[in-house]
Amino acid sequence: MSEKKTSQPKLPPTSALENPSSHEFGNWFEYPVRVQPHHTDYAGLVWHGSYIAWMEEARIECLRSIGIEFTDLVAIGCDLLVVELSVRYHRSIQLGMAVVVKTRMAEVTGVRINWDYVIVSTDGQQLYVTAKVTLVALDRERGKIMRQLPASVKDALAKNFSIK
């Protein structure tokens, strides 16, 4: 009998999540994380949803670092909703490991804010996750997308980033 070797089909690369070697890690906001038991599945590997929670925490802290408090956004009736999320898992992370979630605002156009993420080892040598998230500003009272970002948000972003 002749044995046919079948190879596992590979997913084509996506433009949203570039090849790890093409990432430069300069000018990123860094958010350190140590993997706790509640971040993992039964095998001690980080559960996929934990990565998304870490990205959210990093984004909130990045905004805080430039003077945008999420509680202030809530107080003025603005929410930043995730409307698109792309995640590529390159390597698993295990219980007890320390990693760094790096994030940066890639582009702000109107009320759309695009973020890039990488999750790497503390020495930056291992890449675990790459991701992109798109947010839009929502008027919580009306339940509709805002026509423009609140002035305080727009001002803070303009001081720190190029916005369109």
Side-chain angles (χ1 to χ4, degrees), residues 48-164:
H48 68 277
S50 294
Y51 295 104
I52 295 166
W54 295 345
M55 291 186 297
E56 175 107 6
E57 291 168 17
R59 185 172 65 242
I60 299 296
E61 291 303 318
C62 181
L63 288 171
R64 178 178 285 124
S65 77
I66 63 166
I68 301 172
E69 292 285 344
F70 212 84
T71 53
D72 294 342
L73 291 177
V74 171
I76 62 172
C78 175
D79 200 1
L80 297 176
L81 296 180
V82 173
V83 294
E84 189 171 353
L85 169 68
S86 298
V87 181
R88 170 133 322 153
Y89 302 96
H90 300 275
R91 181 174 276 126
S92 61
I93 301 173
Q94 298 176 351
L95 178 64
M97 290 176 65
V99 296
V100 179
V101 180
K102 295 185 177 195
T103 187
R104 67 180 173 194
M105 215 173 294
E107 181 181 34
V108 179
T109 308
V111 295
R112 233 177 159 74
I113 306 171
N114 296 312
W115 292 82
D116 292 329
Y117 297 88
V118 292
I119 300 177
V120 297
S121 58
T122 55
D123 64 3
Q125 298 302 304
Q126 293 292 323
L127 177 69
Y128 299 106
V129 173
T130 52
K132 288 193 171 284
V133 172
T134 300
L135 306 175
V136 295
L138 178 83
D139 180 323
R140 294 180 70 201
E141 187 176 305
R142 295 181 351 176
K144 295 188 179 205
I145 294 175
M146 296 178 153
R147 292 183 179 264
Q148 60 183 343
L149 292 171
S152 59
V153 173
K154 202 171 189 179
D155 291 345
L157 294 178
K159 287 178 190 171
N160 295 280
F161 305 100
S162 166
I163 63 172
K164 296 176 185 176

Side-chain angles (χ1 to χ4, degrees), residues 14-27:
T14 63
S15 61
L17 305 170
E18 301 169 9
N19 186 320
S21 62
S22 68
H23 283 285
E24 268 194 41
F25 298 137
N27 300 323

